[in-house]
């Protein structure tokens, strides 16, 4: 069997495919994270279980929370001073899930580097719109997010 030599068109096609893949920065592969906790919403409120609440409130950490049957994922961050923040985890640039960066002290998108304050305000682009913010509190040792 004779092997066909790659044509100029084959090389161009490969180049275009590589450019499209790199322009996204791996959005669909890196950018979407599975929720750590899925909670059933009760009249517009997500109430985390005792174990998840205790783990979150016990240290400087974060938890990715989703409402059962919903599309939105909410990143809840607990700071060392005891403050809680809850924002949509969906980056307003191209939809990757943002992470809490302890070293920066705010949120960072792994796809193209946008940064947000813990209350969702923009710090660095390319994202231009803020993250949606949710009300969050600790009530009797349970973390409660108002949708
Ligand atoms: Fe591009 Fe977040 S998806 S910076």
């Amino acid at each position: 069997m004779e092997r066909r030599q790659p044509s100029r068109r084959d090389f161009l096609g490969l180049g275009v495919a590589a450019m499209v893949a790199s322009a996204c920065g791996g959005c669909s592969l890196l950018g979407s994270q599975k929720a750590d906790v899925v909670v059933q919403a009760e009249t517009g409120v997500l109430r985390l279980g005792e174990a998840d609440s205790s783990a979150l409130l016990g240290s400087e950490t974060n938890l990715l929370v989703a409402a059962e049957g919903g599309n939105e994922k909410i990143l809840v961050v607990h700071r060392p001073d005891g403050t809680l923040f809850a924002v949509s985890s969906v980056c307003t640039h191209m939809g990757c899930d943002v992470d809490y960066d302890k070293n920066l002290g705010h949120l960072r998108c792994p796809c193209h580097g946008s940064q947000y304050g813990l209350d969702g305000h923009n710090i660095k682009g390319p994202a231009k719109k803020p993250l949606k913010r949710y009300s969050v509190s600790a009530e009797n040792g349970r973390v409660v997010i108002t949708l």
Side-chain angles (χ1 to χ4, degrees):
M1 178 187 250
E2 190 175 320
R3 296 185 78 169
R4 182 176 74 86
Q5 291 294 316
S7 68
R8 184 167 182 253
R9 176 176 283 183
D10 292 333
F11 281 115
L12 287 174
L14 272 175
V16 169
M19 283 180 359
V20 168
S22 67
C24 178
C27 300
S28 60
L29 298 174
L30 293 174
S32 184
Q33 297 177 28
K34 192 172 172 215
D36 299 313
V37 181
V38 178
V39 182
Q40 183 143 20
E42 306 162 10
T43 60
V45 166
L46 295 178
R47 190 178 310 273
L48 300 189
E50 288 179 18
D52 292 324
S53 295
S54 177
L56 185 62
L57 298 172
S59 63
E60 179 186 13
T61 189
N62 58 283
L63 203 59
L64 190 56
V65 179
E68 195 172 291
N71 296 326
E72 189 78 344
K73 286 182 279 186
I74 301 170
L75 185 63
V76 184
V77 176
H78 180 248
R79 296 277 294 154
D81 64 3
T83 51
L84 282 166
F85 295 88
V87 294
S88 167
S89 68
V90 180
C91 179
T92 60
H93 178 230
M94 291 178 71
C96 294
D97 284 318
V98 301
D99 290 319
Y100 173 51
D101 187 319
K102 282 184 187 177
N103 295 328
L104 292 173
H106 53 253
L107 309 175
R108 186 179 179 285
C109 180
C111 289
H112 310 104
S114 287
Q115 294 179 20
Y116 302 88
L118 294 175
D119 62 356
H121 75 273
N122 298 83
I123 293 176
K124 181 180 171 213
K128 293 182 174 27
K129 294 181 182 171
L131 299 172
K132 180 178 178 182
R133 185 174 185 179
Y134 294 90
S135 173
V136 61
S137 60
E139 298 173 9
N140 300 321
R142 306 267 300 268
V143 174
V144 178
I145 305 160
T146 304
L147 299 175

